[in-house]
Amino acid sequence: MAERPVAIYGAGGHGKVVLDALELNGREIVGFLDDDSRRAGGKHCGYPVLAAAAAMELGREVEFVIAIGDAVARRQTAARVAEHGRDLATAVHPSAVVARDARVVPGAMILAAAVVNPGAYLGACVIVNTGAIIDHDCVIGDFAHVAPGARLAGGVNVGDGALIGVGASVVPGVTIGTGAVVGAGAVVIADVAPGTTVVGNPAKPVTRPDSGRRLV
C-alpha cells in the first residue's frame, strides 16, 4: 500500500530536521502547520505554512508528525490530532539504525545517525535526536526526548516527557523519572526522581544555593 502524505506540525528548527528525514524517505509533504498564526501563509523550507486551525481541514489520508521539541506542547498537539481521529506518522532517517525487534509507537522521530538497539521500546511521539544511542532493552516513555549525542546504556527506563540532554550518558539499568531533565553532558549513575533536574558528572540534583532545595 502506498504511503500517505504527511503534514509536519511545527515550523521551527526541529521541523526542519524531521522534514529532512521524511524527504529522504521519499514521503510526500503537504506542508507545515504552526500554532503561531503570524506564520500562516508563509513558507518554511520551501513548503507552505498553514495555521494550526487548518490542520483538520486536510484530507483524512494525511498523516501528521508532531515536530515540536517541548514535551508538553507535543503531548497537547498529539491529543488534538487524536481527538479528530487522525493518524500519526513515524519519521526514521535513512542513516538511523533501528533493530528489527525494536518496538516503535507511531509518531516517533528517529533522526540522522541515531541507533535503536534490540529489545528497545519507543513510546508515542518520542524523539531520538541526531546521533543518539538507545541500547538494548531500553524503554523510552511517551513524549520523551533523547537529545543529540545522548547515550543510554542497556536496560535504561526513561519516563514519559523526560528530557535527556545533549551528550548526556546514562549507565545500565537506571530509571529516569517522568518529566525529569538530565542536563547536557551529565553522567547519570543512579535513578533520577520524577520531575527532578540533574546535572554534572556524576549527575546530581540542581539546588538553590540559598536553600538547598531541588529545582524541579
Side-chain angles (χ1 to χ4, degrees):
M1 187 173 68
E3 291 185 308
R4 295 151 66 185
V6 179
I8 301 171
Y9 207 122
H14 186 61
K16 181 184 298 186
V17 177
V18 170
L19 171 66
D20 181 59
L22 292 169
E23 285 185 326
L24 289 171
N25 279 300
R27 299 298 297 268
E28 177 187 348
I29 310 299
V30 173
F32 288 88
L33 298 154
D34 202 274
D35 289 325
D36 185 351
S37 60
R38 295 170 298 180
R39 305 196 69 171
K43 289 197 170 184
H44 188 57
C45 301
Y47 291 93
V49 178
L50 307 174
M56 301 313 152
E57 296 175 8
L58 298 172
R60 286 195 170 271
E61 74 278 5
V62 174
E63 295 181 313
F64 293 83
V65 176
I66 314 300
I68 301 171
D70 179 77
V72 173
R74 195 158 72 258
R75 181 187 293 274
Q76 292 171 343
T77 302
R80 292 200 299 270
V81 170
E83 284 171 3
H84 287 82
R86 303 306 179 88
D87 294 327
L88 296 174
T90 299
V92 181
H93 194 282
S95 67
V97 177
V98 181
R100 288 177 296 175
D101 69 342
R103 293 175 292 160
V104 180
V105 174
M109 290 151 273
I110 306 172
L111 301 174
V115 176
V116 180
N117 274 336
Y121 170 87
L122 306 183
C125 297
V126 161
I127 300 171
V128 181
N129 222 317
T130 309
I133 296 174
I134 310 296
D135 210 344
H136 66 88
D137 303 307
C138 288
V139 175
I140 313 300
D142 296 345
F143 305 100
H145 183 173
V146 183
R151 297 165 293 179
L152 308 186
V156 169
N157 283 269
V158 177
D160 292 357
L163 170 63
I164 313 299
V166 175
S169 299
V170 184
V171 303
V174 163
T175 294
I176 309 295
T178 298
V181 176
V182 175
V187 178
V188 182
I189 62 173
D191 292 352
V192 178
T196 302
T197 297
V198 297
V199 299
N201 180 6
K204 295 181 180 179
V206 177
T207 58
R208 290 191 177 95
D210 59 340
S211 67
R213 290 183 296 168
R214 290 180 176 177
L215 290 175
V216 298

